[in-house]
Amino acid sequence: MKLTVVGCSGSFPSAESACSSYLVEADGFRLLLDMGNGALGELQRHCGLYDLDAIFLSHLHADHCIDMCAYFVARYYRHDGGPCPPIPVYGPEGTEHRLTTAYADTPTASSMSEVFDFHTVKPSTFDVGPFTVHTERVRHPVEAYGIRVEHAGKSLTYSGDTGVTEALEDLARDTDLFLCEAAFTHGKENIPDLHLNGREAGETAARAGARRLVLTHIPPWTDPAVNLADAREVFDGPVDLAAPRATYEI
Ligand SMILES: [Zn+2]
Ligand SMILES: [Zn+2]
């Protein structure tokens, strides 16, 4: 598997990065995890507009899904060849309604489903192209999922947005690469069931036995070096900060 960080800024875009979006590729299949603000532009650095094969949305906060409205335009009004065939989109209950409303119900309330084949995510295991995918409900103010993607004996686990939860620890058990949010700073922000801080991300990785930790979703107003140091204090394995255009072979 190859992971490419398309965007990793938390909550709102930074000057350097779009919001959450990660491209996972194997056997020529492209699965995109989240499409937050600015991600569609960045994505075109890595593949063609119409080269995606499936999209997973961890939850329906704008910083994880709002560029799906822009992607609707690109697929529905495609200049050469007319509208694109529907691409599978896996998201929480209400994804179609959320995106349709954000796009202001035009041209019709069902237009989105002409180019997106919506599937409702529940905690489960299913196949997406060559990948086996496990989803688990995580702790966030809205219905939100973490995802584990497996291929050829390797795994990548992405937290989405979450507070501390055993569900994430189970999902990331012995995972090869744990892409984990660390939006808060230890000792500074402590709102339960909203986000992890660097220390909590590191502790979750340690308890899960993850082999490698990549911290992501750090907002522009947060010092990433502090979160990185906090994670390294409690997790012995390699820890990186996600960066736009970074790639990992898993
Ligand atoms: Zn977020
Ligand atoms: Zn969120």
Side-chain angles (χ1 to χ4, degrees):
M1 272 186 289
K2 181 184 175 190
L3 166 68
T4 301
V5 177
V6 177
C8 58
S9 189
S11 305
F12 58 95
S14 71
E16 287 79 34
S17 180
C19 284
S20 294
S21 192
Y22 311 93
L23 182 62
V24 185
E25 298 171 82
D27 298 347
F29 190 96
R30 293 185 177 91
L31 166 65
L32 192 73
L33 309 179
D34 284 343
M35 198 188 282
N37 321 53
L40 187 64
E42 282 295 316
L43 179 67
Q44 293 167 76
R45 294 179 188 274
H46 308 292
C47 69
L49 265 182
Y50 306 114
D51 292 342
L52 294 179
D53 296 294
I55 298 167
F56 168 83
L57 302 175
S58 65
H59 65 298
L60 300 178
H61 279 154
D63 57 320
H64 296 257
C65 74
I66 206 66
D67 265 26
M68 287 291 286
C69 290
Y71 196 41
F72 165 74
V73 175
R75 293 187 73 85
Y76 193 84
Y77 298 104
R78 180 168 59 162
H79 270 193
D80 295 322
C84 296
I87 181 178
V89 175
Y90 301 87
E93 186 84 45
T95 296
E96 180 176 4
H97 178 71
R98 166 83 170 97
L99 295 176
T100 299
T101 305
Y103 192 69
D105 288 334
T106 53
T108 76
S110 63
S111 298
M112 285 262 174
S113 63
E114 292 177 45
V115 293
F116 297 138
D117 180 16
F118 291 103
H119 299 261
T120 301
V121 170
K122 295 286 171 202
S124 62
T125 299
F126 50 98
D127 289 338
V128 179
F131 304 112
T132 300
V133 159
H134 306 270
T135 51
E136 271 302 337
R137 187 84 188 261
V138 291
R139 294 201 183 185
H140 205 50
V142 297
E143 185 179 345
Y145 291 89
I147 184 171
R148 179 183 178 113
V149 183
E150 297 179 345
H151 180 263
K154 299 284 183 181
S155 70
L156 152 74
T157 303
Y158 168 49
S159 64
D161 282 5
T162 184
V164 174
T165 169
E166 258 179 47
L168 181 60
E169 190 182 315
D170 292 342
L171 198 64
R173 187 75 56 210
D174 301 325
T175 198
D176 293 286
L177 191 149
F178 184 25
L179 181 62
C180 187
E181 76 119 296
F184 283 168
T185 300
H186 175 61
K188 194 172 160 201
E189 297 133 320
N190 185 16
I191 305 167
D193 299 339
L194 185 57
H195 288 298
L196 299 171
N197 60 44
R199 187 181 179 92
E200 290 165 339
E203 287 170 344
T204 304
R207 284 195 299 264
R211 298 199 170 84
R212 166 173 215 169
L213 174 62
V214 179
L215 300 178
T216 191
H217 198 284
I218 298 177
W221 52 41
T222 294
D223 182 351
V226 173
N227 291 16
L228 180 63
D230 287 346
R232 282 181 171 157
E233 231 174 72
V234 294
F235 178 66
D236 287 341
V239 188
D240 285 341
L241 291 170
R245 305 197 272 283
T247 60
Y248 296 88
E249 293 292 339
I250 303 165

